[in-house]
Amino acid sequence: MALFGRKNDSATTATVEADPALAALTGEYTIDPAHSTISFTVRHAMVTNVRGSFTEHEGTLNLDGSNPAASTATIDVSIASVDTGMPDRDGHLRSADFFDAETFPKMSFRSTSAEQIDAETYRVTGDLTIKDVTRPVTIDLEFHGSATDVYGNERVGFEGSASILRSEWGLTWNAALETGGVMVSDKVKLNFDISAIKKAPEAA
């Protein structure tokens, strides 16, 4: 199912034919934080991975079934909600050494374009803002489909990831190891597991 529109390699064709089955999915969706996870993985001391998540976040998806490439996404994350399972480490991440959560309480993503890669994979590009730095990032997503839950909510689901260099967003703190290398890798993998609920249409 072509949610974001198929990438068109023909320079002579100006339009992309939308999948009629998408018409029922058109609308605005609210990300369900109770059933969604925004997390990260980073190499620690050169030998293992540390995983964490942001437990407080919100966002919307606007899906356009007649013009899938016009679909958009926004996400806002509370930096203070970072959770790696170790309070001391979480406190360090909130400090000025890393996110400086007191000065910059939010991390945000605003999509700028989207395209279909294959039958189930989509690529969404947008502006990621961390602290006072905004840079483009591309997220590869797998569309898991749509369903109506037991409460009558219409849901869509996506799962995807993107790799960034944290130094490009001003997150440069590190410590050298006696054996060589550094304590925290520059490369960070961001993971998105999203369930979103369709908003009911407003009464006329």
Side-chain angles (χ1 to χ4, degrees), residues 40-86:
F40 58 90
T41 306
V42 61
R43 183 76 71 179
H44 176 262
M46 310 295 291
V47 296
T48 190
N49 287 321
V50 167
R51 293 174 173 83
S53 64
F54 296 94
T55 60
E56 296 179 15
H57 51 81
E58 60 184 12
T60 59
L61 308 176
N62 283 283
L63 305 184
D64 187 334
S66 61
N67 182 18
S71 298
T72 61
T74 69
I75 300 174
D76 291 300
V77 174
S78 170
I79 293 299
S81 72
V82 66
D83 182 6
T84 64
M86 291 187 62

Side-chain angles (χ1 to χ4, degrees), residues 28-33 36 38 56-62 72-77 109-110 194-197 199:
E28 184 176 357
Y29 293 74
T30 301
I31 293 176
D32 177 7
S36 302
I38 297 176
E56 296 179 15
H57 51 81
E58 60 184 12
T60 59
L61 308 176
N62 283 283
T72 61
T74 69
I75 300 174
D76 291 300
V77 174
F109 175 80
R110 300 289 184 269
I194 301 297
S195 177
I197 299 173
K199 286 188 174 181

Side-chain angles (χ1 to χ4, degrees), residues 6-18:
R6 185 176 299 278
K7 185 178 181 180
N8 186 4
D9 294 325
S10 173
T12 61
T13 303
T15 61
V16 177
E17 185 175 340

Side-chain angles (χ1 to χ4, degrees), residues 107-118:
M107 174 173 64
S108 66
F109 175 80
R110 300 289 184 269
S111 68
T112 55
S113 65
E115 62 177 319
Q116 181 183 11
I117 303 303
D118 56 36

